[in-house]
Amino acid sequence: MFGGGLARGLVKKAVAAAVAAGAALVAVIFLGVAIFYALCLVVPALAAAAVTMLLFAVIALIVALIYLRREDDEDEFEDDEPVGLGQRAFMLFRERPILGTVAALAGGWIFLRNPALATMVAAAFTEKTHGRGRR
């Protein structure tokens, strides 16, 4: 009975956050649609789609770089376990963002050419290291 008000408040905050996130998602999607249709007035539809995708990719890259710059103040984590493939990719992007972006674009092109590789890479990224046993 004591925690009921607290739980109810948390649920209300979670619902409000979900509604706000949903509204932001719809706003971003329709911003992309508006940009696409505005570009369709000037260029062919395929070019408009490519420019719209490029614009949103650049915005996502800028946001990611700003987020990664804020984390530079934190100390690097050091552990004795070998670094996994996902952590190596993250560290490459963090230390050399241009090289990481080029590698990601090249990987995307390769995946478009051979989708079976996507399954193998996804398995490699989600694979847990077996360096230490249970103690």
Side-chain angles (χ1 to χ4, degrees), residues 46-126:
L46 188 58
V51 170
T52 304
M53 185 274 312
L54 183 64
L55 175 69
F56 278 88
V58 167
I59 291 170
L61 180 65
I62 290 170
V63 169
L65 288 175
I66 290 171
Y67 175 73
L68 290 176
R69 294 284 181 217
R70 288 184 185 167
E71 287 185 350
D72 281 344
D73 297 338
E74 298 176 4
D75 294 331
E76 294 289 326
F77 65 91
E78 296 180 18
D79 56 353
D80 297 330
E81 294 183 352
V83 179
L85 185 61
Q87 291 175 342
R88 286 184 193 164
F90 177 74
M91 293 306 292
L92 172 70
F93 184 75
R94 188 173 184 179
E95 292 173 2
R96 297 189 176 132
I98 294 174
L99 181 62
T101 303
V102 170
L105 290 173
W109 177 254
I110 291 170
F111 291 153
L112 286 175
R113 303 291 294 172
N114 188 358
L117 287 175
T119 305
M120 290 188 295
V121 171
F125 273 96
T126 58

Side-chain angles (χ1 to χ4, degrees), residues 9-69:
L10 288 176
V11 169
K12 286 182 180 181
K13 287 181 182 180
V15 169
V19 169
L25 176 67
V26 170
V28 168
I29 288 172
F30 280 99
L31 174 65
V33 170
I35 291 170
F36 170 75
Y37 281 117
L39 287 172
C40 278
L41 298 174
V42 182
V43 296
L46 188 58
V51 170
T52 304
M53 185 274 312
L54 183 64
L55 175 69
F56 278 88
V58 167
I59 291 170
L61 180 65
I62 290 170
V63 169
L65 288 175
I66 290 171
Y67 175 73
L68 290 176
R69 294 284 181 217

